[in-house]
Amino acid sequence: MNVSVVMTTYNNANTCISTVASVLGQVDVDLELIVVDDCSNDFDILEKNLLNLNDSRIKIYKMHKNSGAPAARNYGAYMSSFDILCFLDSDDIWKNNKLKEQSLLYKKKSLVFTKMSVVYDDNMGSEIFVRSEYDKNKSVVDNLFGELSHNLILQTSSLMIGRDDFLNSKQFDKSLKRHQDYQFVLDLYTDGFEFIFVDKILVNYVKSKSSNIGKKGWDINVSTVFLNKFKDVFTKELLSNFLIVQLLGPSIKTRKILSWLKFSVECNCLSFKFFTDVLKYVSKRITS
């Protein structure tokens, strides 16, 4: 099986090398690694680091201007050569049998994805086993947002899709600053794709303990574009869960809780049950 891996990166020249190594170390598969730099300040360092690996499977491209991860992923897909595509964020790590396991189940007009675990960048050897489950008897949106808890499933670094299927799809929405992974899989869901789950942890989702969401300019308003796009997919309960699980924490961290409340009112979600669910969620996060 031949697979094109699209990895986008931005100002991550040194730390992404571990991610690259996890791709080059894949077993029983022929691959090319399409590295798309989103006009970084450290592109020269990235290029030097990658060329030093002396691996002909690596192809390096640089965007003409900083355009965001969705545009960079779409560009990488266009530049790919093989019939199957996988995407990878530049800080995540694959198990060495990730592509092999997915390839065994791949078929046209399907999205093949795997379980994930969490590792922190200051302790890469210690995996944290978080909820990463998929119930094939439930819809995609129910799997993602059906409960008052995070479900680390259907994230960008776990996805496999046919190249032609991707190019003929709506691809990653360049207008979205957040939730592009959810947008992509929900578009495929509404277009009738088959979702195939590999019930094995094959991806480590890497989190940074030093990351500050406030410094990244987080704003709740960027979520309105995503929610408006899929307003016909979300039931009121699913929308309430999204507001609590996805947006409450960042709103508290960035001291924008009033904006979150206003947004909840606009979504017509405020109710006794909503505030009860908020208390349940906050209490669970505090005690966990």
Side-chain angles (χ1 to χ4, degrees), residues 6-191:
V6 175
M7 187 193 86
T8 58
T9 182
Y10 179 68
N11 289 342
N12 195 21
N14 291 318
T15 55
C16 75
I17 296 303
S18 296
T19 300
V20 170
S22 77
V23 176
L24 301 180
Q26 293 294 302
V27 298
D28 299 331
V29 64
D30 293 322
L31 63 86
E32 64 174 359
L33 174 58
I34 310 291
V35 179
V36 183
D37 179 88
D38 194 17
C39 203
S40 299
N41 298 323
D42 62 1
F43 176 75
D44 290 343
I45 299 173
L46 173 70
E47 186 176 42
K48 179 180 178 181
N49 288 345
L50 294 177
L51 290 176
N52 284 341
L53 294 175
N54 194 28
D55 195 312
S56 61
R57 294 175 294 175
I58 302 175
K59 300 177 181 179
I60 312 167
Y61 300 94
K62 181 181 180 181
M63 302 290 282
H64 294 299
K65 63 178 182 179
N66 182 251
S67 304
R73 291 187 192 115
N74 294 344
Y75 178 78
Y78 278 111
M79 301 307 295
S80 64
S81 305
F82 295 146
D83 291 336
I84 300 176
L85 280 176
C86 284
F87 298 93
L88 177 59
D89 290 342
S90 62
D91 49 1
D92 293 337
I93 303 293
W94 283 351
K95 307 286 183 158
N96 67 357
N97 60 332
K98 190 261 188 188
L99 295 183
K100 175 184 177 181
E101 295 285 350
Q102 286 182 287
S103 298
L104 294 173
L105 298 177
Y106 166 78
K107 62 178 75 171
K108 290 185 178 180
K109 204 168 183 185
S110 74
L111 186 71
V112 187
F113 56 101
T114 80
K115 280 186 175 183
M116 305 178 74
S117 65
V118 168
V119 298
Y120 284 99
D121 58 357
D122 64 346
N123 189 9
M124 297 288 282
S126 179
E127 295 183 2
I128 301 170
F129 295 99
V130 297
R131 180 169 173 259
S132 183
E133 300 291 342
Y134 187 81
D135 186 343
K136 64 181 180 180
N137 295 314
K138 295 180 179 179
S139 70
V140 169
V141 67
D142 277 319
N143 272 285
L144 287 171
F145 312 117
E147 297 181 27
L148 281 172
S149 63
H150 290 272
N151 189 10
L152 192 62
I153 202 72
L154 287 163
Q155 304 293 315
T156 306
S157 296
S158 72
L159 307 179
M160 173 179 280
I161 188 173
R163 182 179 187 272
D164 288 343
D165 285 336
F166 177 83
L167 295 179
N168 291 324
S169 75
K170 298 181 180 69
Q171 304 181 20
F172 290 97
D173 190 337
K174 293 180 286 187
S175 70
L176 294 179
K177 294 182 179 179
R178 300 183 69 234
H179 314 307
Q180 309 103 339
D181 46 0
Y182 294 148
Q183 163 265 316
F184 178 60
V185 298
L186 289 177
D187 273 333
L188 295 182
Y189 168 62
T190 57
D191 287 343

Side-chain angles (χ1 to χ4, degrees), residues 247-263:
L247 303 183
L248 177 58
S251 298
I252 294 173
K253 290 179 180 178
T254 57
R255 300 180 181 179
K256 296 180 180 179
I257 192 67
L258 290 180
S259 297
W260 178 82
L261 281 170
K262 180 181 177 183
F263 191 34

